[in-house]
Amino acid sequence: MAPSSKGKVASDHVKAFNVAVTEYKSKACEKALAEIDKILAVLAKISDSSIFSPSQPDAFSLLLNCQYLLSYLDHKANTVWGVVGLLTTLCSQDPAVTKLLRTRLELLPICAKLLHSLPSTTQARTLKLLQLLKLVVDGVIITRREAYLTSLLADLSSFLSDSTPDLSSLSLFILCCLCRGNYISTKLLLSTLPPPTITALFSTPNTTPSDQLISEMLCYFMTRVQLSSHPPSPAKVNSYLPKLMDVFCSSYVADDISLMSLLISFLSSLSTDTEYRSILAQQDCLPSLQQLLVVADFSDEFSLTTSSHLFTFLTTLITTYHTDNVHLFDVVLKVVLARLDAKPYNKVASALVLVKTLVQNIDFSSMSDAVARNLKFQLDQLLPSLLATFLDRRSSTKLSSRSKTDQVFTELDREAMASCLECLQLLQVVASVPLKGWGQAVGETVKANKMVTAYRGYTDILKELVDRARLTTEFFTLAIMLGEVDNSWGKVVVELLGDKDRIQLVAEILRQENMEGSFMKKALTILNKTDSPETMFGVEKEDEAVGGDVEDQAVIPEQLARIDSLMEGVTEALGKMEVEQVVGEVMQLATVRRGQEKQQLAYMMEALGAADARVAAQNTALVEREEQVRALERVVMELVVRLGANKEELGDIRAQHGDLSREADCTRDKLGKELGEARSQLEELQTEKVVLVEKYGRYKDQVVRLTEDLKQYKDNQEQLEVKLKQEMRGREELVVTVSKREERLKKKEKQLDEEMSARERAEKENDDLRKQCASLETLSKRQEQALSKKEKLLQESQEETKEMRRVQDAIFNLSKARGSAAC
């Protein structure tokens, strides 16, 4: 049954695997492979990923043995695929394992060889191997034409047109990772892919959004190989943002670390390209960022690497695209606070970098007081979380050092160290905001005594001198900034400046090679506040140790006593013998010389001991020098390899530049001819322009005259129209008067008829009525005369009206003829 426990049981299985592989190396047999398969099945079910950390010797041996099995076993062996499955699981759990397999163990050529040996019918095993390659190939750097690249690129290219979606997707992803920032592999891929496949990559849409975006990224990396005379299309560049957001959200939910890393790298490449950056800087990413922040989830058992990639992607977005930093800060701060409240607390460097970048991008000089108060209120909520995070990381490291099994965790890992430095840098950025009260708020919230205690705890558990120097420099800088506004921090600054060991750690920053400029600037600022900083860089002269006190090889007084007793016995024996007098003197001389020789021998032994110590020290120095030479040779080899790749890239660029230069020369000559033709046309047009200007002047004068005539005609017409209106009103009044008179006449005629009838009836009756009738007749005659006169007047008025109409028509025709002549 597979163990679910941790600690010693799991480590025993790792050791058993190493022993089994060692036995197989000594004697290759099926029984040993079967034992290895059993142990692999158990190792694949171990849940504690820390057992496989490369920092442990047994885990490193396990990875080395896995590399051996993949190198020497045939693809038909089940052990190979058990190892592939185990390595895939380990790489997905720990990025350090992936980096070790990619850089030190060179797993990529082995996987390429294994992929090339697989037959086309084994799609399941091919998918399994491609899944491992997807994890290993992330971040690979290719600086020369490796032998495995040709077969690997050919195999992956053949999978692009495969009917199986998983094969084509994984192959497309691996090809994109191989071409990312690698000129050699991109050039080889362009020479490997047939033209129809390249055309399909640029034009044919993919089935899934992730494959479509990866295809566009691959096309972008391939276009970077050739110099292009055409600028990128703004519409195409602007379409990257929604695609990036959709694919990153889906990869975040699925915890696809490799895809997120590729997206971040692609966005960074776009931001470093000047042509693309100018277009991206004009596009607003605030709605997309809000959509991405909604996806963030830091509930139980969330992935630390996934959350780190999320904040890194956000940081890259706000530095590449245009956005409202003040409006975005509120939303981002809520997400960061949620991350700081979730355990573990020692892997929050990317979140702190995001907040630091936002604060640095905000323009506080043109900010209103209300907005500044709102930002300060939000940052006041962040400061206690930063302090708690700093202290909790320290307490967790101390608690983990209680037993020998947890001894690995007593040292601060790189991520925790980076989080600690970013926490101090974020406090520095907040304290340096040029608004009143910000630095004082940081000094009051971040307690000096707690921070100093935590800092000393960190320096006690850090073993690397460079790490202690960086931490000390950042803490010194923060303490100096807060010491100007807070008394407790001022006391801390005085205490730290009086500690020569701490100052020596700061000076160590300036002794290191390839140190960041920001650290060196801060270190110089700190040393400037000390007395005689130049003494920190004196060469320490160590006394050459002779190797300790060497004990005398012979105690001279005791030896002399024994020699004396021996000589006395010899003298007594010689006294009984018949010898000459000179023999005694010779013996005495020999005794004296023997003592002197013993003493000289002791001195010589001491000198030899000192010489041995000196030789040992020289041998140690030689060993260190040999290590330095080997390291230098490795660096030189890497530089030579990179030089070859760069020479090849430079040669291609020069060839492309030559082609483009010749094309530019042809274009320049063509444009020169077109410019000459355009100039001749311009001269002709200028001549025509002079003629047209003269005509324009004449026509302008005519227009002025015609305008004046038209104005006069309009005035005359207006006057005639006024007169006509007056006459028309008089005519209407006359018509009304005549109509009234006609009505009266009709009435009178009617009355006359009545009177005539009455007269005819009354003629017979009364003569007086006849007289009246006669008088009435005379009266009617007069009225008829008056009526005839009125009719004559009416005819005359009608003739005058007709005459006026003829005049009006003549005027209208004359103005119309003038208007057409002016046009």
Side-chain angles (χ1 to χ4, degrees), residues 679-690:
R679 285 178 178 174
S680 61
Q681 292 178 1
L682 181 61
E683 291 176 356
E684 295 176 358
L685 291 175
Q686 286 178 351
T687 306
E688 294 178 359
K689 178 184 176 183
V690 172

Side-chain angles (χ1 to χ4, degrees), residues 51-327:
I51 298 299
F52 304 99
S53 176
S55 59
Q56 299 187 15
D58 292 336
F60 180 78
S61 300
L62 180 140
L63 297 175
L64 192 61
N65 290 326
C66 289
Q67 186 248 17
Y68 171 80
L69 293 175
L70 291 179
S71 301
Y72 292 97
L73 290 180
D74 187 70
H75 68 89
K76 298 179 181 179
N78 294 327
T79 307
V80 171
W81 304 106
V83 171
V84 170
L86 176 63
L87 292 180
T88 304
T89 304
L90 296 182
C91 290
S92 61
Q93 293 176 351
D94 191 358
V97 176
T98 307
K99 184 177 180 181
L100 177 66
L101 293 174
R102 182 177 62 248
T103 56
R104 295 184 62 184
L105 299 184
E106 298 289 342
L107 192 64
L108 185 59
I110 299 172
C111 293
K113 177 184 176 182
L114 184 60
L115 179 64
H116 190 65
S117 63
L118 286 175
S120 58
T121 57
T122 57
Q123 288 190 355
R125 290 185 172 181
T126 304
L127 281 174
K128 200 171 185 179
L129 184 58
L130 289 180
Q131 289 173 355
L132 176 60
L133 271 174
K134 178 183 177 181
L135 299 173
V136 175
V137 82
D138 183 24
V140 65
I141 298 175
I142 300 172
T143 57
R144 60 182 179 182
R145 292 181 179 271
E146 302 288 351
Y148 68 90
L149 276 179
T150 305
S151 61
L152 178 61
L153 294 176
D155 294 335
L156 293 175
S157 302
S158 64
F159 295 147
L160 292 178
S161 58
D162 195 276
S163 59
T164 306
D166 293 337
L167 277 179
S168 58
S169 299
L170 290 173
S171 302
L172 187 64
F173 182 87
I174 296 170
L175 286 175
C176 189
C177 290
L178 288 173
C179 295
R180 180 182 61 185
N182 297 319
Y183 178 81
I184 300 297
S185 58
T186 308
K187 186 178 177 182
L188 285 175
L189 179 62
L190 285 173
S191 62
T192 303
L193 289 176
T197 305
I198 298 177
T199 305
L201 282 176
F202 279 89
S203 59
T204 305
N206 289 274
T207 55
T208 61
S210 59
D211 290 347
Q212 178 64 30
L213 182 58
I214 293 172
S215 178
E216 293 183 6
M217 287 190 288
L218 179 59
C219 294
Y220 168 78
F221 292 136
M222 289 192 296
T223 54
R224 292 296 93 188
V225 176
Q226 301 290 335
L227 296 177
S228 177
S229 58
H230 303 287
S233 173
K236 181 68 174 179
V237 178
N238 292 332
S239 66
Y240 284 146
L241 181 59
K243 296 177 182 178
L244 283 170
M245 286 299 171
D246 293 340
V247 177
F248 191 88
C249 290
S250 60
S251 61
Y252 177 81
V253 174
D255 287 338
D256 193 345
I257 307 298
S258 301
L259 183 54
M260 288 191 289
S261 177
L262 180 62
L263 295 177
I264 294 171
S265 177
F266 174 65
L267 187 57
S268 301
S269 301
L270 291 179
S271 63
T272 54
D273 195 329
T274 55
E275 294 180 348
Y276 285 82
R277 184 176 180 85
S278 59
I279 301 175
L280 296 176
Q282 300 175 1
Q283 188 177 2
D284 187 12
C285 67
L286 184 59
S288 301
L289 283 174
Q290 292 176 344
Q291 173 191 354
L292 182 59
L293 291 172
V294 172
V295 183
D297 183 21
F298 306 109
S299 57
D300 295 338
E301 297 181 358
F302 71 97
S303 175
L304 296 176
T305 309
T306 304
S307 64
S308 177
H309 279 70
L310 171 66
F311 291 114
T312 305
F313 185 70
L314 287 171
T315 306
T316 310
L317 276 177
I318 64 175
T319 54
T320 304
Y321 289 89
H322 171 73
T323 184
D324 185 1
N325 295 307
V326 177
H327 182 71

Side-chain angles (χ1 to χ4, degrees), residues 692-814:
L692 292 174
V693 167
E694 293 177 356
K695 290 182 179 180
Y696 174 75
R698 291 196 300 269
Y699 291 149
K700 188 176 182 181
D701 295 336
Q702 292 179 4
V703 168
V704 171
R705 290 195 302 271
L706 292 174
T707 303
E708 293 176 355
D709 295 342
L710 181 61
K711 185 177 181 182
Q712 186 176 359
Y713 291 148
K714 285 182 178 180
D715 295 338
N716 296 335
Q717 185 179 0
E718 289 176 358
Q719 293 176 1
L720 291 174
E721 287 178 354
V722 171
K723 290 181 181 180
L724 181 60
K725 287 179 181 179
Q726 292 177 356
E727 291 178 357
M728 291 295 291
R729 284 197 298 270
R731 181 184 174 186
E732 290 175 357
E733 291 175 358
L734 182 60
V735 170
V736 172
T737 304
V738 171
S739 62
K740 289 181 180 179
R741 287 183 181 181
E742 287 179 352
E743 289 177 359
R744 286 197 299 269
L745 287 174
K746 288 180 180 180
K747 290 179 181 180
K748 287 181 180 180
E749 287 178 356
K750 187 177 181 181
Q751 290 177 1
L752 182 59
D753 293 336
E754 291 176 357
E755 289 177 357
M756 288 295 290
S757 61
R759 186 180 61 184
E760 289 176 355
R761 289 191 302 267
E763 278 181 356
K764 295 177 180 180
E765 294 178 355
N766 196 350
D767 294 331
D768 295 334
L769 291 175
R770 289 178 179 176
K771 295 179 180 179
Q772 293 179 358
C773 183
S775 62
L776 288 173
E777 287 178 356
T778 56
L779 179 62
S780 62
K781 291 179 179 179
R782 293 176 182 175
Q783 289 178 349
E784 287 176 357
Q785 292 176 357
L787 182 61
S788 62
K789 292 180 181 180
K790 293 289 182 69
E791 288 177 355
K792 291 180 180 180
L793 292 175
L794 180 61
Q795 290 176 358
E796 292 177 356
S797 63
Q798 288 177 354
E799 291 176 357
E800 289 179 358
T801 303
K802 291 179 180 181
E803 183 68 20
M804 292 299 294
R805 283 181 178 176
R806 287 194 298 271
V807 172
Q808 184 179 2
D809 294 336
I811 293 171
F812 179 77
N813 293 330
L814 180 61

Side-chain angles (χ1 to χ4, degrees), residues 29-45:
C29 59
E30 294 295 331
K31 183 178 179 181
L33 285 179
E35 183 66 23
I36 292 174
D37 291 338
K38 293 179 181 179
I39 301 176
L40 282 173
V42 175
L43 291 175
K45 297 179 181 180

Side-chain angles (χ1 to χ4, degrees), residues 467-696:
D467 293 339
R468 294 201 305 271
R470 291 185 177 185
L471 181 63
T472 303
T473 303
E474 293 293 347
F475 190 81
F476 257 99
T477 304
L478 177 63
I480 291 173
M481 294 177 64
L482 298 180
E484 298 175 355
V485 294
D486 189 80
N487 294 329
S488 59
W489 279 101
K491 295 178 182 178
V492 171
V493 172
V494 174
E495 179 183 354
L496 291 175
L497 291 176
D499 192 343
K500 293 184 178 180
D501 294 336
R502 308 291 179 185
I503 299 297
Q504 193 67 37
L505 286 175
V506 176
E508 190 64 30
I509 290 290
L510 302 177
R511 296 191 182 98
Q512 299 296 323
E513 297 180 356
N514 301 324
M515 182 59 65
E516 295 86 344
S518 58
F519 282 102
M520 298 183 71
K521 182 178 179 181
K522 293 175 182 179
L524 290 172
T525 304
I526 296 169
L527 293 177
N528 191 32
K529 297 182 178 297
T530 61
D531 297 333
S532 301
E534 65 276 2
T535 58
M536 300 297 171
F537 303 98
V539 180
E540 297 181 359
K541 296 182 179 179
E542 298 181 356
D543 297 334
E544 295 183 358
V546 181
D549 297 334
V550 181
E551 295 182 357
D552 296 335
Q553 298 297 327
V555 182
I556 296 175
E558 295 179 357
Q559 289 181 356
L560 290 177
R562 288 198 299 271
I563 291 173
D564 290 341
S565 61
L566 182 60
M567 290 302 294
E568 289 178 357
V570 173
T571 303
E572 292 178 356
L574 288 175
K576 299 178 181 178
M577 295 176 61
E578 293 180 358
V579 295
E580 297 180 357
Q581 185 68 25
V582 72
V583 175
E585 297 176 357
V586 170
M587 295 302 296
Q588 291 180 357
L589 180 61
T591 302
V592 174
R593 287 182 176 179
R594 180 65 58 85
Q596 293 176 352
E597 289 175 356
K598 290 291 186 179
Q599 191 172 5
Q600 291 176 1
L601 181 61
Y603 293 150
M604 291 177 67
M605 292 297 294
E606 292 180 1
L608 287 174
D612 291 338
R614 181 179 179 182
V615 170
Q618 290 178 349
N619 290 334
T620 304
L622 288 175
V623 170
E624 294 178 355
R625 182 63 58 87
E626 289 177 357
E627 292 179 356
Q628 293 177 0
V629 169
R630 284 194 294 271
L632 182 60
E633 288 177 353
R634 288 195 298 269
V635 172
V636 170
M637 181 61 67
E638 293 177 358
L639 291 176
V640 168
V641 171
R642 291 183 180 180
L643 179 62
N646 291 332
K647 281 183 177 180
E648 182 178 356
E649 182 177 358
L650 182 60
D652 295 339
I653 292 175
R654 284 178 176 173
Q656 296 173 21
H657 182 267
D659 296 337
L660 292 176
S661 298
R662 287 189 292 272
E663 183 180 354
D665 293 337
C666 297
T667 306
R668 191 183 301 109
D669 296 337
K670 182 179 179 181
L671 292 176
K673 294 179 181 179
E674 293 178 357
L675 180 61
E677 295 175 356
R679 285 178 178 174
S680 61
Q681 292 178 1
L682 181 61
E683 291 176 356
E684 295 176 358
L685 291 175
Q686 286 178 351
T687 306
E688 294 178 359
K689 178 184 176 183
V690 172
V691 177
L692 292 174
V693 167
E694 293 177 356
K695 290 182 179 180
Y696 174 75

